[in-house]
Amino acid sequence: GSDENTGRLDSPFKTIEKALAFSNQYAGKTVTIQLRGGTYYLDKTIVLEQADKRPSALLVTAYKNEKVIISAGRRLSLQWKPFRDGIFQASLPGDAAFERLYVNGRLQVLARYPNYDSTARVFHGTAADAIAPERVRRWKNPVGGYVHALHAGEWGGFHYRITGVDGDGNLQLEGGWQNNRPAAMHEQFRFVENIFEELDAPGEWWVDKPNHILYYYPARGVSLSRASIEVSHLKNSMEFRGTAEKPLTNIELKDLSFAHNERSFMDTKEPLLRSDWTIYRGGALLFRGTERCKVTNCHFTALGGNAIMFSDYNKQDTVQGCLVEYIGANAVCFVGDPQAVRSPLFRYEKSMPYEQLDKRPGPVNNNYPQECVVTDNLFHNLGEIEKQATGVEIEMSSSISVLHNSIYNTPRAGINIGDGCWGGHVLAYNDVFNTVLETGDHGAFNSWGRDRYWSADRKYMDSLVAVFPGLILLDAQKQNIIHDNRFRCDHGWDIDLDDGSTNYRIYNNVCLNGGLKLREGFYRIVENNILINNSFHPHVWFKNSGDVFERNIVMKKYFPIQITYWGGKIDYNLFPDPSALESARENGTDPHSAAGAPLFTDPGAGNYAVAKNSPALALGFRNFPMDEFGVKSPGLRKIALQAPIPALIGHDGRAGKSELISFLGGKIKRVEGLGERSAFGLPDETGVIVVAAGSNSLLAASGIHEKDVIVRADKQPVKDVTALLDIYQSANWKGQMELEVFRNQQPVSILLRLK
């Protein structure tokens, strides 16, 4: 169309901006803007602000299901010529500045070392020598390149821009502000990119910015003369701006696709209270000061940063039916204004003396997200660049509902609540799995509660809350409810309530692998959950915490760490065997609990409802639906993956003498009799034999060989398979575990990779 047209079907406008401006002629009325199929390349971010004259409701949608792509990029027409060694070059327009290149719709690789490896666990490939001086000396001018690395503790990632090189070949860097827990970069998990000398593999590219030349090494089968070339341009595609006093209301985006947004990792620098996070308050869509706005059935892919950001005041907004996949950072974020927080602190180690604390409850103002809903969405392959990333991030917000979403393939949590301000969140019917894939010490669901009473100095905090217990709920005012979800984390906890998380009710959840952890906090009620192949992990609880753990099915003994006080009530739980139950009773808990098989209906199919004669029912356990997890809309459900259902590891099977058990891609069994003791040169008949290491397993990758015998793990003796699996589940969150194995009748120390 043309922006000189009338805007009717037979006389359409050309640009979205013109249509939006024209809609203001219909002040007070309901208006629909229909976009014909095609790609709309934005010259600048579309900004819609509150105005006195605007429609009472506005829908922007695709016309009759035509495919509409709103691109934050540009399409380039280039003339290519050979450079050398399979690399081609082309002159760029003088105003072209980008860090993402798409050829025939596929994202290409910015020149990097080590080369891109789709099978590598972290950053698609890392190397300890990525920034070694001997490598740096090969580069003519690395200024403008990037160093990406995991946090030394694997708590997210860091990103740095190269600003120079000193005389010893060491890089000079700026950045590292993407994580709110400062540390060195990881010594192994690091890589460099945007270095010309590292352009040496098909699919890689680099831009000589001063001379405006693009260098590209096309993959086999790519014809550059016919190829579609697109590049990133804008970080934010659309922004909706109002205020709490004068919000922008009743806007819906429906059946649209968003693509080609620029990377934002160097802008991820604002600290979020004492969370581990920093944030960039932007994304393909940015909402600030809105009410009753919706994003419905939209598709977000190939973005460099966040998909949807709700910043500061937003009320009763909804994200529904969306597909967010293969993006650089987070799917949906709710982040309030720190100035709405009383006595805010921004670093983990900071605390405020009692005399200086604002002791009034709740927020200062209402400049934060509230009563918003994220429902029936599919979020996967998130955090491809930024590793402190998640499916739904909630910070300084109230009453956010996260319902019926499928979230998987994330580097860290699938859902994260970063603080106790101000609670009231409901997480229900979600399917969250394949999480914490690139980091450590985290969970499929993770929370922190480093609220105003909290301190990293445990002795001080203990004394403070003992004398002034009224401080505890000043921020965590409303109870957070987590119910009827299915969680699986193979490299941490399925549910991880960390550092002061307070005022939660957790019920009717299926935890498929990592168990449930409650670190210090108050008033957590955990009841009627099923913890498959794992158990309850209470860590460093407060005196008078008020915690409750009742009517749950656990499949291992509890794994307490530094627990002196056992909360309000720990009882009526079902244990796998008498020894696990007795271990709990030695701590003074579970007087009415029992031991026995839960008698699941169809565990192989993921149905953990228990039979009528299950001992769990006698303890008060109640069955709950097993078919309500994840997305519900037929289109998304058809393409969504389901959480992998684990084989049950029962006590009898684990300890059986000749039974082979799958373990980290291999097969293991217990030592059996004097014959095997003699054959392997063992001091006694204890230990676990590696019957098969597996060619592509974590056992093989760690250097474990067939016929190795594991005799110690995580500095604990390994009596049999049962003992090894218990130690493994307890240490899994660390990402690695020390082993002592007997090999050729000699002890060998090995660091076993757990992810």
Side-chain angles (χ1 to χ4, degrees):
S2 167
D3 283 351
E4 303 302 318
N5 287 345
T6 63
R8 297 190 303 269
L9 181 62
D10 61 350
S11 179
F13 295 130
K14 180 179 182 180
T15 67
I16 301 171
E17 295 93 326
K18 175 64 176 179
L20 289 168
F22 188 78
S23 72
N24 288 332
Q25 296 185 22
Y26 299 91
K29 297 184 178 182
T30 298
V31 173
T32 297
I33 296 174
Q34 299 181 83
L35 306 181
R36 297 303 303 265
T39 301
Y40 294 78
Y41 296 100
L42 303 180
D43 293 328
K44 60 182 180 179
T45 299
I46 294 174
V47 178
L48 195 60
E49 296 183 290
Q50 175 59 291
D52 293 333
K53 293 185 177 181
R54 60 171 304 275
S56 60
L58 176 64
L59 170 64
V60 182
T61 186
Y63 174 78
K64 290 188 176 180
N65 297 317
E66 294 181 357
K67 185 174 179 58
V68 173
I69 300 174
I70 298 178
S71 171
R74 304 172 62 179
R75 186 164 185 170
L76 301 180
S77 179
L78 303 176
Q79 300 297 316
W80 296 94
K81 61 182 180 180
F83 175 61
R84 69 177 185 220
D85 301 327
I87 300 172
F88 287 75
Q89 67 180 51
S91 295
L92 292 170
D95 62 343
F98 56 91
E99 292 187 353
R100 288 170 76 81
L101 171 70
Y102 306 84
V103 176
N104 296 329
R106 299 190 63 178
L107 179 65
Q108 305 300 293
V109 178
L110 186 53
R112 54 170 285 165
Y113 173 79
N115 288 337
Y116 183 95
D117 178 359
S118 62
T119 67
R121 182 177 70 84
V122 179
F123 283 125
H124 300 298
T126 58
D129 68 342
I131 58 174
E134 53 269 26
R135 176 164 290 278
V136 172
R137 292 188 186 99
R138 305 175 192 174
W139 305 334
K140 181 179 179 181
N141 182 17
V143 173
Y146 294 105
V147 179
H148 306 271
L150 285 191
H151 185 285
E154 300 188 10
W155 298 340
F158 294 123
H159 312 272
Y160 305 85
R161 183 182 289 111
I162 300 172
T163 60
V165 182
D166 68 17
D168 297 322
N170 298 305
L171 292 178
Q172 297 170 330
L173 304 170
E174 66 172 358
W177 45 62
Q178 296 83 3
N179 195 293
N180 202 27
R181 296 285 293 275
M185 68 175 73
H186 200 285
E187 293 185 357
Q188 171 64 41
F189 297 128
R190 53 176 69 173
F191 79 100
V192 293
E193 66 169 358
N194 202 25
I195 306 293
F196 179 59
E197 287 80 4
E198 302 299 348
L199 201 172
D200 59 1
E204 290 192 342
W205 63 277
W206 181 79
V207 171
D208 178 349
K209 292 181 180 179
N211 295 303
H212 310 294
I213 299 174
L214 169 63
Y215 294 90
Y216 175 53
Y217 189 158
R220 184 186 298 273
V222 173
S223 172
L224 288 180
S225 62
R226 297 192 298 270
S228 167
I229 306 296
E230 295 166 302
V231 299
S232 56
H233 178 45
L234 306 170
K235 294 185 178 73
N236 299 356
S237 298
M238 303 180 75
E239 297 182 7
F240 303 91
R241 300 177 183 172
T243 64
E245 296 73 27
K246 201 169 184 179
L248 192 60
T249 62
N250 298 317
I251 297 171
E252 181 175 5
L253 305 178
K254 185 177 181 182
D255 297 328
L256 308 176
S257 294
F258 295 86
H260 306 146
N261 295 70
E262 185 56 276
R263 307 192 297 184
S264 56
F265 57 82
M266 290 304 291
D267 297 306
T268 302
K269 60 174 63 176
E270 178 190 340
L272 294 180
L273 298 187
R274 287 184 284 187
S275 164
D276 288 5
W277 282 57
T278 62
I279 200 73
Y280 166 62
R281 290 181 186 257
L285 300 178
L286 170 60
F287 293 85
R288 175 179 279 121
T290 67
E291 289 183 357
R292 300 183 301 281
C293 291
K294 296 182 179 180
V295 184
T296 309
N297 299 341
C298 289
H299 182 200
F300 301 80
T301 187
L303 311 181
N306 302 315
I308 306 173
M309 171 65 66
F310 294 93
S311 177
D312 296 338
Y313 178 80
N314 295 279
K315 188 173 184 179
Q316 297 178 354
D317 291 344
T318 301
V319 178
Q320 181 172 3
C322 293
L323 170 60
V324 181
E325 57 181 350
Y326 303 105
I327 66 170
N330 306 281
V332 180
C333 296
F334 298 94
V335 183
D337 179 2
Q339 293 188 27
V341 181
R342 298 186 188 277
S343 301
L345 294 166
F346 295 92
R347 288 284 290 273
Y348 173 89
E349 67 277 8
K350 297 294 184 182
S351 62
M352 187 176 293
Y354 174 78
E355 295 75 17
Q356 298 177 21
L357 285 173
D358 185 336
K359 301 171 186 65
R360 290 168 291 180
V364 176
N365 55 50
N366 68 344
N367 198 28
Y368 54 87
Q370 49 199 278
E371 301 176 24
C372 297
V373 179
V374 181
T375 184
D376 197 18
N377 302 284
L378 172 55
F379 302 151
H380 70 86
N381 292 84
L382 315 174
E384 294 209 314
I385 304 168
E386 301 183 42
K387 301 310 173 187
Q388 196 72 275
T390 190
V392 182
E393 171 66 5
I394 301 173
E395 293 265 358
M396 296 174 284
S397 301
S398 176
S399 301
I400 306 300
S401 295
V402 183
L403 315 171
H404 279 299
N405 302 286
S406 292
I407 305 173
Y408 53 86
N409 295 351
T410 67
R412 208 137 171 75
I415 302 172
N416 189 78
I417 296 177
D419 52 47
C421 308
W422 286 272
H425 312 307
V426 177
L427 316 181
Y429 305 108
N430 300 290
D431 198 14
V432 185
F433 58 96
N434 287 0
T435 59
V436 196
L437 293 179
E438 300 182 58
T439 60
D441 194 5
H442 218 51
F445 167 77
N446 181 81
S447 67
W448 293 293
R450 300 166 188 160
D451 304 334
R452 65 185 102 167
Y453 79 86
W454 190 88
S455 171
D457 183 338
R458 179 56 189 265
K459 290 184 178 180
Y460 170 74
M461 185 165 49
D462 280 342
S463 63
L464 184 66
V465 297
V467 177
F468 304 109
L471 294 175
I472 296 165
L473 296 180
L474 292 181
D475 293 311
Q477 292 184 291
K478 302 176 185 177
Q479 187 179 65
N480 293 324
I481 299 176
I482 304 175
H483 74 89
D484 290 278
N485 302 280
R486 184 168 62 184
F487 294 108
R488 176 166 180 168
C489 184
D490 291 1
H491 312 298
W493 293 277
D494 295 336
I495 298 177
D496 182 2
L497 270 63
D498 214 348
D499 291 358
S501 298
T502 288
N503 204 4
Y504 279 76
R505 184 183 176 210
I506 302 172
Y507 67 93
N508 289 9
N509 298 285
V510 175
C511 296
L512 290 175
N513 186 76
L516 184 148
K517 168 189 162 190
L518 299 183
R519 194 177 162 89
E520 86 267 311
F522 292 88
Y523 314 132
R524 284 82 59 93
I525 300 172
V526 180
E527 54 189 0
N528 217 74
N529 301 281
I530 301 170
L531 310 185
I532 299 298
N533 294 340
N534 210 309
S535 191
F536 180 38
H537 297 252
H539 291 187
V540 295
W541 281 6
F542 289 109
K543 185 178 182 180
N544 300 323
S545 70
D547 291 325
V548 173
F549 188 81
E550 286 191 308
R551 295 183 288 108
N552 301 284
I553 297 174
V554 303
M555 296 185 67
K556 291 189 176 181
K557 66 178 184 178
Y558 297 159
F559 293 101
I561 295 180
Q562 298 180 31
I563 297 294
T564 303
Y565 308 102
W566 278 89
K569 192 173 185 181
I570 315 295
D571 205 359
Y572 297 100
N573 300 296
L574 182 64
F575 289 81
D577 54 64
S579 65
L581 174 58
E582 182 57 32
S583 175
R585 286 178 172 169
E586 288 175 359
N587 294 316
T589 68
D590 295 279
H592 302 98
S593 295
L599 304 180
F600 295 129
T601 301
D602 190 0
N607 184 352
Y608 299 104
V610 300
K612 292 182 179 180
N613 57 337
S614 170
L617 297 176
L619 294 168
F621 179 85
R622 301 180 303 276
N623 282 321
F624 54 92
M626 294 286 158
D627 57 357
E628 295 292 322
F629 309 121
V631 291
K632 302 298 288 183
S633 59
L636 291 178
R637 196 164 183 85
K638 183 177 180 180
I639 62 175
L641 299 181
Q642 302 285 311
I645 303 303
L648 288 186
I649 304 175
H651 236 273
D652 292 341
R654 288 184 293 173
K657 286 199 170 183
S658 298
E659 180 136 7
L660 297 183
I661 301 298
S662 297
F663 181 63
L664 298 180
K667 298 286 186 181
I668 57 176
K669 68 178 287 291
R670 65 172 294 181
V671 173
E672 186 177 354
L674 290 173
E676 288 186 337
R677 172 184 173 183
S678 176
F680 292 101
L682 301 171
D684 52 37
E685 293 180 41
T686 64
V688 170
I689 301 169
V690 178
V691 178
S695 57
N696 296 313
S697 70
L698 286 171
L699 294 179
S702 303
I704 297 287
H705 296 172
E706 184 179 317
K707 298 182 180 180
D708 282 350
V709 182
I710 302 170
V711 295
R712 293 184 70 82
D714 204 29
K715 301 180 181 178
Q716 301 177 59
V718 173
K719 179 182 178 182
D720 52 24
V721 173
T722 299
L724 175 62
L725 293 176
D726 282 348
I727 296 168
Y728 159 70
Q729 289 288 13
S730 182
N732 187 21
W733 62 275
K734 302 177 185 178
Q736 59 188 24
M737 181 169 66
E738 294 179 11
L739 295 184
E740 181 181 318
V741 305
F742 262 69
R743 178 181 297 166
N744 299 325
Q745 302 192 12
Q746 296 294 323
V748 177
S749 296
I750 290 177
L751 191 62
L752 176 63
R753 289 173 47 186
L754 303 180
K755 60 183 179 180

